[in-house]
Amino acid sequence: MSQQEYRVAPNGFTAEQWEQFTADGVIVIEDALSDEEIDRYLQAIDRYCAADAQYNPTKFCMRENIVQRDPTFAELIDHPRHVGYGYDIYGELLKLHLSQIFIRPTDGNYNHWHHDGARAVPYGVYAPELPLQLKISYWLTDLPSTKMGNFVYLPGSHRSQRSQYYHTHESVPGEKILCVPKGAMTVANCNTWHRVEPNESDVVRKNIFLAYCPSWVCEGDRYQSDPNWLKTLNREQRIIMRSYADPYARAKPPAEDFPLFLDRDTRSDSDPDADIRVPLKQRKRLTMPEKMGLASASTP
């Protein structure tokens, strides 16, 4: 495959978004989806639910590994609307950690203050500045007010591994209750403490969630993907699923999986000062935070 056939990395964080993300742990992007796109995703959710014998429209519903269940969801693995945010942080070792749909009708269901990922020894122990899990959320129904199953988060709490409110549902000073129109997208550091309000409205809240991580963090909703399904994906989608037979390939992917994307600025598969004597699959490439000086970029 020639370099021209590789895709250039889609856009990710702007400078302003990164500043807010590092300060608050969450950024909100309204009007990320068109009405046509919203309808398409809702139709895919409805198709999935119609085929699920256990689905009860009066009860909270969560299903995982949705990208393998419907081609419309599979398109989201590497969708340019959001995959650049994950690539900015995880670079060439980007992986889809999990994919989910959430349906919250008026059934009183809610959850307590928590952060995502490991709890007894949180991700922050190993990566105190950068998240080891990044969550993209698509908000497909209007949430103009509170008590609609809203996402609630505490800005800046991604820097704390403990919370006095953990496993309670108490309202916390400084919390933000997400009230957004349909079509909004959020990008969240999964270390951020959050909870969900009960839905006391007549609106059924519907969401798509996609979490990304480094390829060497274990998958969250599967062991391996169906080989026949993988054949239906494009190159980047297949790589991002990281369905390797060799477990250590998650840390050292095969040569054909490099580059995942070309640099969005230089259109190159390497950094400007790359040592071309090093094979491409072993060649260090800087992530966006390293380029900005947030993470150490020293090399031998």
Side-chain angles (χ1 to χ4, degrees):
M1 182 180 286
S2 68
Q3 191 176 83
Q4 284 68 35
E5 292 177 293
Y6 292 119
R7 285 168 56 189
V8 173
N11 290 332
F13 290 95
T14 65
E16 293 77 13
Q17 288 174 334
W18 183 251
E19 182 178 4
Q20 183 181 2
F21 180 78
T22 55
D24 293 346
V26 177
I27 60 173
V28 181
I29 304 167
E30 294 192 5
D31 301 318
L33 308 176
S34 68
D35 288 341
E36 291 76 15
E37 289 168 327
I38 295 168
D39 289 342
R40 190 161 179 266
Y41 297 141
L42 289 173
Q43 289 169 15
I45 291 174
D46 291 343
R47 279 196 304 270
Y48 183 88
C49 292
D52 185 347
Q54 296 184 334
Y55 173 65
N56 182 339
T58 68
K59 299 295 183 182
F60 166 72
C61 174
M62 186 273 285
R63 297 292 186 269
E64 295 187 319
N65 198 20
I66 61 166
V67 294
Q68 193 170 311
R69 315 304 177 191
D70 189 290
T72 299
F73 298 141
E75 295 170 8
L76 297 174
I77 297 170
D78 65 335
H79 200 291
R81 183 190 300 112
H82 68 256
V83 78
Y85 294 99
Y87 186 73
D88 273 349
I89 297 176
Y90 308 123
E92 286 294 291
L93 295 189
L94 176 69
K95 177 168 78 176
L96 184 69
H97 179 71
L98 56 81
S99 58
Q100 303 168 306
I101 55 172
F102 274 48
I103 303 174
R104 291 188 178 276
T106 312
D107 71 345
N109 181 279
Y110 62 88
N111 63 23
H112 299 88
W113 284 106
H114 67 285
H115 55 70
D116 293 336
R119 306 289 170 82
V121 185
Y123 284 146
V125 172
Y126 308 103
E129 295 191 54
L130 299 178
L132 286 184
Q133 191 183 133
L134 181 80
K135 184 164 286 184
I136 307 295
S137 307
Y138 286 176
W139 301 88
L140 304 178
T141 43
D142 286 316
L143 301 176
S145 59
T146 62
K147 303 299 183 181
M148 297 184 70
N150 310 67
F151 175 79
V152 186
Y153 67 99
L154 187 60
S157 61
H158 56 290
R159 292 185 288 272
S160 176
Q161 296 172 28
R162 291 180 176 172
S163 170
Q164 62 179 311
Y165 303 102
Y166 184 24
H167 223 257
T168 76
H169 194 258
E170 298 177 23
S171 181
V172 175
E175 69 180 18
K176 286 193 175 182
I177 302 176
L178 191 68
C179 296
V180 292
K182 64 181 182 180
M185 179 176 77
T186 54
V187 181
N189 181 326
C190 286
N191 294 341
T192 306
W193 291 89
H194 59 280
R195 63 179 176 90
V196 173
E197 288 210 304
N199 187 358
E200 299 176 0
S201 74
D202 295 330
V203 175
V204 178
R205 199 202 87 178
K206 296 184 180 181
N207 293 83
I208 296 174
F209 295 107
L210 303 115
Y212 294 88
C213 66
S215 64
W216 38 264
V217 171
C218 67
E219 295 84 337
D221 61 0
R222 62 197 183 278
Y223 291 102
Q224 284 190 306
S225 299
D226 182 335
N228 291 324
W229 173 74
L230 288 171
K231 293 177 182 177
T232 69
L233 304 181
N234 66 36
R235 176 181 181 270
E236 293 76 22
Q237 291 168 348
R238 176 191 60 77
I239 294 172
I240 293 171
M241 292 306 297
R242 306 290 178 180
S243 187
Y244 298 127
D246 177 3
Y248 201 43
R250 287 163 174 77
K252 294 184 177 180
E256 61 265 25
D257 287 356
F258 292 92
L260 172 56
F261 291 117
L262 301 178
D263 186 278
R264 70 172 64 101
D265 297 317
T266 66
R267 271 43 177 184
S268 172
D269 60 12
S270 301
D271 293 340
D273 59 350
D275 187 341
I276 61 174
R277 297 172 300 175
V278 178
L280 183 61
K281 69 174 184 176
Q282 300 172 4
R283 197 177 299 169
K284 165 66 180 167
R285 286 185 68 182
L286 297 177
T287 62
M288 181 273 290
E290 287 180 306
K291 292 176 182 179
M292 296 179 65
L294 179 60
S296 173
S298 61
T299 55

